[in-house]
Amino acid sequence: MEKTISDNEVLNAFNTLLPYLPYFFDDDVSFGVADTQAYLSVACNPNLDLKLKEGDVIPQGGALNTAMQNDKVLVKNVPKEVYGIPFRSYAIPIHNKQGVVEGCIVMGKSLIKRNELMSISQNLYASLGHISDAVNDLSSGVQNVVNMNDDIVLKVQEADKSSKDTDDILSFIQAISSKTNMLGLNAAIEAARAGDAGRGFKVVATEIRKLSTSTSESVKKVDDVLKNIGASIKSINEKISKSTGLFEGQAATLQEIAASLEELNSTAEMMGNLAEKI
């Protein structure tokens, strides 16, 4: 049978339960029962040694004394520097049948797991923030590339249109060349009819026909060059379009990643908020 430590039934009952209370907690906990003057019973967890023993005087200004003096439950976090381990202290005033404070029940609960969880959540939140910023920067860069590709496609299309517009010019020059050749041929015929009197005219006719032939050959060369340019422009356009499609797919994927990171950020923040309440 448990010994009686006080005339107060609640204090005695709590003392009886001391050996069983730690099973209700996942963290390391220590308990104490006190009257208004000293500790009546103490059960300290080895991992949370509050350096208390039965008979220790209640210090003035301490948590127990303050709770009993003010007749209010007092909950406070005690930093690691005080006892070598961070913990949360609960001091609960106990009354007699007349409502007068006769003692106090105190519990200390280790905050190591809680602090570790908070640290993990904070580090996770910070890391996710850096990753999210990097993904957003990458997504922005990819989008810029897509926009630049769109501009390049427009310029390529303009160049292709300009290249095709030269076809009319070349056709016009080719027509002039044909007419010039015909004119030279007719001049040569007339010069032959004129005999010696048409020798000078024959020279002019020959030069006209040479000019026509040279112009026709030049037009053909220019046409071949323009066709090659057109083929190159088409190839460039196709490759840029393909590249744009790939970048757009990457941009969409990055947006999905950014959304997932945002959800993880929210989860990490929630985890941190829950850790503070533990």
Side-chain angles (χ1 to χ4, degrees), residues 29-71:
V29 290
S30 293
F31 298 93
V33 181
D35 58 18
T36 57
Q37 301 300 319
Y39 284 96
L40 304 176
S41 180
V42 175
C44 284
N45 186 291
N47 296 324
L48 182 57
D49 186 4
L50 302 182
K51 298 178 176 60
L52 299 176
K53 63 180 182 297
E54 185 178 328
D56 283 351
V57 176
I58 304 299
Q60 294 295 314
L64 269 70
N65 179 261
T66 302
M68 290 188 288
Q69 288 289 332
N70 297 329
D71 193 11

Short mmCIF file of all heavy atoms in Angstrom, two decimals, residues 29-71:
data_model
loop_
_atom_site.label_atom_id
_atom_site.label_comp_id
_atom_site.label_asym_id
_atom_site.label_seq_id
_atom_site.Cartn_x
_atom_site.Cartn_y
_atom_site.Cartn_z
N VAL A 29 9.44 12.06 -19.29
CA VAL A 29 8.71 12.92 -18.36
C VAL A 29 9.18 12.68 -16.93
O VAL A 29 9.61 11.58 -16.58
CB VAL A 29 7.18 12.70 -18.45
CG1 VAL A 29 6.62 13.20 -19.75
CG2 VAL A 29 6.85 11.22 -18.26
N SER A 30 9.09 13.72 -16.13
CA SER A 30 9.38 13.63 -14.70
C SER A 30 8.23 14.28 -13.94
O SER A 30 7.59 15.22 -14.44
CB SER A 30 10.70 14.33 -14.37
OG SER A 30 11.79 13.64 -14.95
N PHE A 31 7.96 13.77 -12.72
CA PHE A 31 6.83 14.25 -11.95
C PHE A 31 7.26 14.60 -10.52
O PHE A 31 8.26 14.08 -10.01
CB PHE A 31 5.72 13.19 -11.87
CG PHE A 31 5.15 12.81 -13.20
CD1 PHE A 31 5.66 11.73 -13.91
CD2 PHE A 31 4.11 13.53 -13.76
CE1 PHE A 31 5.14 11.37 -15.14
CE2 PHE A 31 3.58 13.18 -14.99
CZ PHE A 31 4.10 12.10 -15.68
N GLY A 32 6.46 15.48 -9.92
CA GLY A 32 6.69 15.81 -8.53
C GLY A 32 5.39 16.19 -7.85
O GLY A 32 4.46 16.71 -8.49
N VAL A 33 5.29 15.88 -6.56
CA VAL A 33 4.13 16.25 -5.75
C VAL A 33 4.66 17.08 -4.58
O VAL A 33 5.63 16.69 -3.91
CB VAL A 33 3.38 15.01 -5.22
CG1 VAL A 33 2.18 15.43 -4.40
CG2 VAL A 33 2.96 14.11 -6.38
N ALA A 34 4.04 18.24 -4.33
CA ALA A 34 4.55 19.12 -3.29
C ALA A 34 3.40 19.74 -2.51
O ALA A 34 2.28 19.90 -3.02
CB ALA A 34 5.41 20.21 -3.91
N ASP A 35 3.69 20.09 -1.26
CA ASP A 35 2.75 20.93 -0.51
C ASP A 35 3.24 22.36 -0.68
O ASP A 35 4.05 22.65 -1.55
CB ASP A 35 2.65 20.49 0.95
CG ASP A 35 3.99 20.53 1.66
OD1 ASP A 35 4.93 21.21 1.15
OD2 ASP A 35 4.12 19.89 2.72
N THR A 36 2.82 23.25 0.14
CA THR A 36 3.19 24.65 -0.03
C THR A 36 4.63 24.93 0.39
O THR A 36 5.15 26.02 0.13
CB THR A 36 2.24 25.56 0.76
OG1 THR A 36 2.26 25.17 2.14
CG2 THR A 36 0.82 25.45 0.23
N GLN A 37 5.28 23.95 1.00
CA GLN A 37 6.61 24.19 1.53
C GLN A 37 7.71 23.38 0.84
O GLN A 37 8.80 23.90 0.57
CB GLN A 37 6.64 23.84 3.05
CG GLN A 37 5.64 24.64 3.88
CD GLN A 37 5.87 26.14 3.83
OE1 GLN A 37 7.02 26.58 3.86
NE2 GLN A 37 4.81 26.92 3.74
N ALA A 38 7.43 22.09 0.57
CA ALA A 38 8.49 21.23 0.04
C ALA A 38 7.92 20.13 -0.84
O ALA A 38 6.71 19.91 -0.89
CB ALA A 38 9.27 20.61 1.21
N TYR A 39 8.83 19.45 -1.56
CA TYR A 39 8.43 18.32 -2.39
C TYR A 39 8.14 17.12 -1.49
O TYR A 39 8.93 16.77 -0.60
CB TYR A 39 9.54 17.96 -3.37
CG TYR A 39 9.66 18.91 -4.54
CD1 TYR A 39 10.57 19.96 -4.52
CD2 TYR A 39 8.84 18.77 -5.66
CE1 TYR A 39 10.67 20.84 -5.58
CE2 TYR A 39 8.93 19.64 -6.73
CZ TYR A 39 9.85 20.68 -6.68
OH TYR A 39 9.93 21.55 -7.74
N LEU A 40 6.98 16.50 -1.72
CA LEU A 40 6.58 15.33 -0.94
C LEU A 40 6.98 14.03 -1.61
O LEU A 40 7.23 13.03 -0.94
CB LEU A 40 5.06 15.36 -0.73
CG LEU A 40 4.49 16.63 -0.06
CD1 LEU A 40 2.97 16.55 0.00
CD2 LEU A 40 5.07 16.80 1.34
N SER A 41 7.00 14.06 -2.94
CA SER A 41 7.34 12.86 -3.70
C SER A 41 7.87 13.28 -5.06
O SER A 41 7.37 14.25 -5.65
CB SER A 41 6.12 11.95 -3.87
OG SER A 41 6.45 10.79 -4.59
N VAL A 42 8.87 12.56 -5.56
CA VAL A 42 9.49 12.91 -6.83
C VAL A 42 9.75 11.64 -7.64
O VAL A 42 10.18 10.63 -7.09
CB VAL A 42 10.82 13.66 -6.62
CG1 VAL A 42 11.51 13.90 -7.96
CG2 VAL A 42 10.60 14.98 -5.91
N ALA A 43 9.46 11.69 -8.95
CA ALA A 43 9.76 10.57 -9.86
C ALA A 43 10.40 11.17 -11.12
O ALA A 43 9.71 11.64 -12.01
CB ALA A 43 8.50 9.80 -10.21
N CYS A 44 11.73 11.17 -11.14
CA CYS A 44 12.46 11.78 -12.25
C CYS A 44 12.92 10.73 -13.25
O CYS A 44 13.50 9.71 -12.86
CB CYS A 44 13.67 12.56 -11.74
SG CYS A 44 13.25 14.15 -10.98
N ASN A 45 12.65 10.99 -14.52
CA ASN A 45 13.14 10.12 -15.59
C ASN A 45 14.65 10.33 -15.73
O ASN A 45 15.13 11.46 -15.67
CB ASN A 45 12.43 10.49 -16.90
CG ASN A 45 12.77 9.55 -18.03
OD1 ASN A 45 13.89 9.53 -18.52
ND2 ASN A 45 11.79 8.77 -18.46
N PRO A 46 15.41 9.26 -15.92
CA PRO A 46 16.87 9.40 -16.04
C PRO A 46 17.28 10.33 -17.18
O PRO A 46 18.33 10.98 -17.12
CB PRO A 46 17.34 7.96 -16.32
CG PRO A 46 16.28 7.09 -15.74
CD PRO A 46 15.00 7.84 -15.94
N ASN A 47 16.44 10.41 -18.21
CA ASN A 47 16.75 11.28 -19.35
C ASN A 47 16.25 12.70 -19.15
O ASN A 47 16.46 13.56 -20.02
CB ASN A 47 16.14 10.70 -20.63
CG ASN A 47 16.74 9.37 -21.00
OD1 ASN A 47 17.93 9.14 -20.81
ND2 ASN A 47 15.91 8.47 -21.52
N LEU A 48 15.58 12.94 -18.03
CA LEU A 48 15.11 14.28 -17.70
C LEU A 48 15.28 14.48 -16.19
O LEU A 48 14.32 14.55 -15.44
CB LEU A 48 13.65 14.46 -18.13
CG LEU A 48 13.03 15.84 -17.89
CD1 LEU A 48 13.84 16.93 -18.59
CD2 LEU A 48 11.58 15.88 -18.37
N ASP A 49 16.50 14.55 -15.78
CA ASP A 49 16.81 14.68 -14.36
C ASP A 49 16.70 16.14 -13.95
O ASP A 49 17.54 16.97 -14.32
CB ASP A 49 18.23 14.16 -14.08
CG ASP A 49 18.54 14.14 -12.59
OD1 ASP A 49 17.64 14.45 -11.80
OD2 ASP A 49 19.69 13.81 -12.25
N LEU A 50 15.64 16.45 -13.21
CA LEU A 50 15.41 17.82 -12.76
C LEU A 50 16.12 18.11 -11.44
O LEU A 50 15.91 19.17 -10.84
CB LEU A 50 13.91 18.07 -12.60
CG LEU A 50 13.08 17.84 -13.88
CD1 LEU A 50 11.62 18.16 -13.63
CD2 LEU A 50 13.62 18.67 -15.03
N LYS A 51 16.92 17.14 -11.02
CA LYS A 51 17.73 17.31 -9.79
C LYS A 51 16.85 17.63 -8.58
O LYS A 51 17.16 18.51 -7.78
CB LYS A 51 18.79 18.39 -10.01
CG LYS A 51 19.79 18.04 -11.12
CD LYS A 51 20.78 19.16 -11.34
CE LYS A 51 21.84 18.76 -12.37
NZ LYS A 51 21.28 18.45 -13.69
N LEU A 52 15.74 16.92 -8.49
CA LEU A 52 14.82 17.09 -7.35
C LEU A 52 14.83 15.83 -6.49
O LEU A 52 15.04 14.73 -7.00
CB LEU A 52 13.39 17.35 -7.86
CG LEU A 52 13.18 18.61 -8.72
CD1 LEU A 52 11.74 18.65 -9.21
CD2 LEU A 52 13.52 19.87 -7.95
N LYS A 53 14.57 16.03 -5.22
CA LYS A 53 14.42 14.86 -4.33
C LYS A 53 13.40 15.21 -3.24
O LYS A 53 13.12 16.40 -2.96
CB LYS A 53 15.75 14.45 -3.72
CG LYS A 53 16.40 15.48 -2.83
CD LYS A 53 17.72 14.94 -2.31
CE LYS A 53 18.41 15.93 -1.36
NZ LYS A 53 18.78 17.18 -2.01
N GLU A 54 12.85 14.18 -2.69
CA GLU A 54 11.85 14.36 -1.65
C GLU A 54 12.42 15.19 -0.50
O GLU A 54 13.54 14.96 -0.04
CB GLU A 54 11.41 12.99 -1.13
CG GLU A 54 10.28 13.03 -0.12
CD GLU A 54 9.87 11.63 0.31
OE1 GLU A 54 9.97 10.69 -0.52
OE2 GLU A 54 9.46 11.47 1.48
N GLY A 55 11.64 16.19 -0.08
CA GLY A 55 12.07 17.05 1.02
C GLY A 55 12.69 18.36 0.57
O GLY A 55 12.88 19.26 1.39
N ASP A 56 13.00 18.50 -0.72
CA ASP A 56 13.56 19.76 -1.20
C ASP A 56 12.56 20.89 -0.99
O ASP A 56 11.36 20.73 -1.27
CB ASP A 56 13.92 19.67 -2.69
CG ASP A 56 15.20 18.91 -2.92
OD1 ASP A 56 15.90 18.60 -1.93
OD2 ASP A 56 15.50 18.60 -4.10
N VAL A 57 13.04 22.01 -0.53
CA VAL A 57 12.18 23.17 -0.28
C VAL A 57 11.76 23.80 -1.61
O VAL A 57 12.56 23.88 -2.55
CB VAL A 57 12.91 24.21 0.59
CG1 VAL A 57 12.06 25.46 0.78
CG2 VAL A 57 13.25 23.61 1.94
N ILE A 58 10.50 24.24 -1.66
CA ILE A 58 10.00 24.92 -2.86
C ILE A 58 10.66 26.30 -2.93
O ILE A 58 10.47 27.13 -2.04
CB ILE A 58 8.47 25.08 -2.81
CG1 ILE A 58 7.79 23.73 -2.64
CG2 ILE A 58 7.98 25.78 -4.08
CD1 ILE A 58 8.06 22.74 -3.73
N PRO A 59 11.41 26.59 -3.98
CA PRO A 59 12.11 27.88 -4.06
C PRO A 59 11.15 29.03 -4.32
O PRO A 59 10.18 28.89 -5.06
CB PRO A 59 13.08 27.69 -5.23
CG PRO A 59 12.45 26.63 -6.08
CD PRO A 59 11.75 25.71 -5.12
N GLN A 60 11.40 30.13 -3.66
CA GLN A 60 10.59 31.32 -3.87
C GLN A 60 10.81 31.85 -5.29
O GLN A 60 11.93 31.90 -5.80
CB GLN A 60 10.99 32.41 -2.85
CG GLN A 60 10.68 32.07 -1.41
CD GLN A 60 9.18 31.95 -1.16
OE1 GLN A 60 8.40 32.80 -1.60
NE2 GLN A 60 8.78 30.90 -0.45
N GLY A 61 9.71 32.21 -5.92
CA GLY A 61 9.80 32.75 -7.28
C GLY A 61 9.85 31.69 -8.36
O GLY A 61 9.85 32.02 -9.55
N GLY A 62 9.93 30.39 -7.94
CA GLY A 62 9.95 29.32 -8.93
C GLY A 62 8.56 29.05 -9.49
O GLY A 62 7.56 29.67 -9.08
N ALA A 63 8.49 28.10 -10.42
CA ALA A 63 7.23 27.81 -11.10
C ALA A 63 6.16 27.34 -10.12
O ALA A 63 5.01 27.80 -10.15
CB ALA A 63 7.46 26.76 -12.19
N LEU A 64 6.53 26.42 -9.20
CA LEU A 64 5.55 25.89 -8.25
C LEU A 64 5.06 26.99 -7.32
O LEU A 64 3.85 27.13 -7.07
CB LEU A 64 6.16 24.75 -7.43
CG LEU A 64 5.95 23.33 -8.01
CD1 LEU A 64 6.77 23.16 -9.27
CD2 LEU A 64 6.32 22.28 -6.96
N ASN A 65 5.99 27.76 -6.78
CA ASN A 65 5.63 28.83 -5.85
C ASN A 65 4.73 29.85 -6.53
O ASN A 65 3.72 30.29 -5.96
CB ASN A 65 6.90 29.50 -5.33
CG ASN A 65 6.60 30.63 -4.37
OD1 ASN A 65 6.62 31.80 -4.75
ND2 ASN A 65 6.31 30.29 -3.10
N THR A 66 5.06 30.20 -7.76
CA THR A 66 4.26 31.19 -8.51
C THR A 66 2.87 30.65 -8.79
O THR A 66 1.87 31.37 -8.64
CB THR A 66 4.96 31.55 -9.83
OG1 THR A 66 6.25 32.07 -9.55
CG2 THR A 66 4.16 32.57 -10.60
N ALA A 67 2.79 29.35 -9.19
CA ALA A 67 1.48 28.75 -9.50
C ALA A 67 0.60 28.73 -8.26
O ALA A 67 -0.61 29.02 -8.32
CB ALA A 67 1.68 27.34 -10.05
N MET A 68 1.18 28.36 -7.10
CA MET A 68 0.39 28.29 -5.87
C MET A 68 0.03 29.68 -5.35
O MET A 68 -1.09 29.91 -4.86
CB MET A 68 1.16 27.49 -4.81
CG MET A 68 1.26 26.00 -5.13
SD MET A 68 1.96 24.99 -3.80
CE MET A 68 3.69 25.48 -3.87
N GLN A 69 0.95 30.62 -5.47
CA GLN A 69 0.68 31.98 -5.01
C GLN A 69 -0.45 32.62 -5.82
O GLN A 69 -1.31 33.30 -5.28
CB GLN A 69 1.95 32.83 -5.13
CG GLN A 69 3.03 32.50 -4.11
CD GLN A 69 2.65 32.95 -2.71
OE1 GLN A 69 1.90 33.89 -2.52
NE2 GLN A 69 3.16 32.22 -1.71
N ASN A 70 -0.43 32.41 -7.13
CA ASN A 70 -1.44 33.01 -8.00
C ASN A 70 -2.67 32.13 -8.19
O ASN A 70 -3.65 32.55 -8.80
CB ASN A 70 -0.84 33.32 -9.37
CG ASN A 70 0.28 34.34 -9.31
OD1 ASN A 70 0.27 35.23 -8.45
ND2 ASN A 70 1.26 34.20 -10.20
N ASP A 71 -2.56 30.87 -7.69
CA ASP A 71 -3.65 29.89 -7.82
C ASP A 71 -4.04 29.73 -9.29
O ASP A 71 -5.22 29.74 -9.65
CB ASP A 71 -4.86 30.32 -6.98
CG ASP A 71 -5.88 29.18 -6.85
OD1 ASP A 71 -5.53 28.04 -7.21
OD2 ASP A 71 -7.01 29.44 -6.40
#
